[in-house]
Amino acid sequence: LGLRLGLRPGEAWALHWGDIKNGAVNVTRGIQRTGGLAKISDDLKTEASKRTITLPLDMSAWVEEHRSTQEHERKAAIKASTGWVDARLVFTGPTGDLVNPELSRSRLVDICRRAGIDPIRPNELRHSCASLLADEGVPNELIADLLGHTTTRMVDQTYRHRVRPFTNV
């Protein structure tokens, strides 16, 4: 979701299944850390961060596949008496608890290495989303809306990176 929809890692990790319906994702909460403890909060980075994003058809299918896989994992955890912490969460740790950011980062590094590409961090997926959309000609205003920004300034200065070399014809 970070790469395709530009979600911040904490926004994705705080998603509830009820936030995904009718082919859209409602981003209304995020993970906040205080004193090393993580909790879900309705207080997002900015008011514009609260947004509804239409899922591409292939992402809708992937979300449903993920829901089914997670349901099997949840039932197996309950059967094994390890329990499941929060059945509302779309992305969880092994027992249905909040995603561990350090573990998530190391798993993404492993995925990148297996794919033969330079390692990236979860928040860089958001940058890649903006860069790929810009490369496809999507206007900065639409990219800013997708990322939850009120202006294009952050897209121009921080998120959008050149995907291919510039050639002056």
Side-chain angles (χ1 to χ4, degrees), residues 151-168:
T151 70
T152 61
R153 186 179 62 80
M154 287 296 288
V155 173
D156 291 332
Q157 295 177 353
T158 305
Y159 286 99
R160 190 184 65 183
H161 309 284
R162 187 174 304 282
V163 173
R164 58 186 98 218
F166 175 75
T167 55
N168 193 359

Side-chain angles (χ1 to χ4, degrees), residues 13 22 25 40-41 63 86 93 101 106 111 114 123 131 135 160:
W13 298 334
N22 301 323
V25 174
I40 295 177
S41 172
V63 165
D86 193 340
S106 68
I111 291 168
R114 285 195 309 269
N123 64 324
S131 299
D135 188 62
R160 190 184 65 183

Side-chain angles (χ1 to χ4, degrees), residues 68-133:
S68 176
T69 300
Q70 188 186 76
E71 182 62 20
H72 290 297
E73 291 170 353
R74 186 181 71 75
K75 287 178 181 176
I78 291 169
K79 186 176 182 181
S81 300
T82 56
W84 196 263
V85 176
D86 193 340
R88 298 172 304 165
L89 293 173
V90 174
F91 301 105
T92 68
T95 59
D97 52 345
L98 289 176
V99 170
N100 177 321
E102 292 78 24
L103 182 59
S104 179
R105 280 190 288 274
S106 68
R107 285 187 175 163
L108 184 55
V109 165
D110 289 343
I111 291 168
C112 291
R113 287 193 177 126
R114 285 195 309 269
I117 60 174
D118 291 337
I120 61 172
R121 295 169 297 202
N123 64 324
E124 290 174 304
L125 296 171
R126 183 171 161 85
H127 291 250
S128 296
C129 175
S131 299
L132 291 169
L133 290 171

